[in-house]
Amino acid sequence: MEIFKIGIHLLIYLIVLVGYGRTIQEPIGLSKDVKIESETSPSTEEISKLAKTAYTEFLSGDISMFDSTDISKWNLDTWRDTILSYGELEYTYLDLDGDGVEELLVQYVDDPSSYNGVFHYDNGRLYCWQYDWAEGSCRDYPLKDGTIVRQYDFNSTHSYTLFRYQTDGQEKKILSLFSREELIFPDSTETCSYYEVDGNEVDKTVFHEQLNKLIINQMLDRLAWISIETI
């Protein structure tokens, strides 16, 4: 009887031991209801701080955050020795593409026809969206809501194109205005005076009403621009 009891106890011990061995060798699976926490993305406020730090470094002459494509396309390697060295620059920040992070706009003081530029920050890099210091008859300038006006002037002929930047830097046209109050060439057969709003001919009164409503009354206050000398 004692031998039988010993045998029973030994058999139970072996069963428990084998069961335990299987338990510790089986992979531990996650319940379908258990989710692994992912690393949280930076907030818009945090990205904005990083963007302004990058913009400040650029305004100090550092172009290392641009990729080679932008440097080559816009001749940014001459930034320090041409635009920046001139000194009379001013800048402001506006959210131009609606993503909650402001872009950097730079121009010669009260003179965007001599130079104007737009720069965008994304994921640790800077991108150039606009860089014009060659075409004196053209100037880009922002309105309060982030809309950009591209204005061409030749004597008393003026064209205005309003557009918004998209998140990839592409331009989306909103509307245009055009006026001709003096013939470019004396023997021209063009109608003068002539006015258009978004491709439709209008009279002078309507044109100036729209010009004031859409552009003149929406321009940034001079106090919105900051002298680069403050950096």
Side-chain angles (χ1 to χ4, degrees):
M1 180 63 69
E2 288 299 326
I3 295 176
F4 176 77
K5 288 182 179 180
I6 292 173
I8 292 296
H9 290 159
L10 182 59
L11 179 59
I12 292 173
Y13 175 78
L14 289 174
I15 291 173
V16 172
L17 183 61
V18 172
Y20 177 77
R22 287 178 179 173
T23 301
I24 63 173
Q25 291 176 21
E26 290 175 355
I28 299 175
L30 291 176
S31 167
K32 293 182 180 179
D33 297 327
V34 177
K35 295 181 179 179
I36 301 175
E37 291 290 334
S38 59
E39 187 175 336
T40 57
S41 300
S43 66
T44 300
E45 182 179 356
E46 291 170 329
I47 297 173
S48 294
K49 290 180 180 179
L50 293 172
K52 288 190 176 180
T53 298
Y55 296 150
T56 299
E57 292 175 358
F58 170 60
L59 291 173
S60 300
D62 184 0
I63 62 170
S64 63
M65 295 185 72
F66 291 93
D67 62 30
S68 59
T69 301
D70 263 8
I71 291 175
S72 174
K73 177 181 179 181
W74 302 100
N75 293 319
L76 292 175
D77 52 346
T78 66
W79 161 254
R80 180 186 290 275
D81 297 327
T82 54
I83 306 302
L84 196 59
S85 65
Y86 190 74
E88 296 184 15
L89 291 175
E90 57 187 0
Y91 66 94
T92 192
Y93 303 117
L94 278 176
D95 181 8
L96 303 181
D97 60 358
D99 67 351
V101 179
E102 296 174 322
E103 275 67 48
L104 168 69
L105 296 90
V106 187
Q107 64 180 29
Y108 281 145
V109 176
D110 204 21
D111 185 15
S113 61
S114 292
Y115 171 74
N116 63 86
V118 175
F119 305 92
H120 170 78
Y121 175 87
D122 182 33
N123 197 28
R125 302 301 298 267
L126 287 178
Y127 299 89
C128 182
W129 284 356
Q130 164 72 1
Y131 194 92
D132 179 16
W133 64 298
E135 194 168 2
S137 62
C138 175
R139 61 183 182 271
D140 283 15
Y141 52 90
L143 302 180
K144 295 174 183 177
D145 67 350
T147 299
I148 300 293
V149 179
R150 179 162 294 152
Q151 179 176 340
Y152 282 90
D153 304 301
F154 194 91
N155 294 337
S156 293
T157 298
H158 310 281
S159 70
Y160 310 83
T161 301
L162 283 70
F163 66 89
R164 293 299 302 258
Y165 280 108
Q166 306 302 289
T167 54
D168 59 358
Q170 297 298 307
E171 302 170 7
K172 183 178 181 180
K173 179 182 174 181
I174 299 174
L175 59 81
S176 61
L177 298 94
F178 176 83
S179 68
R180 184 192 304 116
E181 297 181 327
E182 179 183 325
L183 291 175
I184 296 176
F185 304 104
D187 58 349
S188 174
T189 60
E190 295 176 319
T191 303
C192 188
S193 299
Y194 178 80
Y195 305 92
E196 275 186 10
V197 174
D198 216 20
N200 300 309
E201 184 177 358
V202 297
D203 63 30
K204 182 177 180 178
T205 300
V206 172
F207 173 83
H208 283 286
E209 286 176 351
Q210 292 300 303
L211 179 65
N212 288 327
K213 175 183 177 181
L214 298 172
I215 298 178
I216 305 301
N217 296 337
Q218 302 303 320
M219 293 180 65
L220 288 186
D221 189 283
R222 287 297 310 146
L223 296 177
W225 294 94
I226 307 166
S227 171
I228 197 171
E229 295 178 358
T230 62
I231 293 180

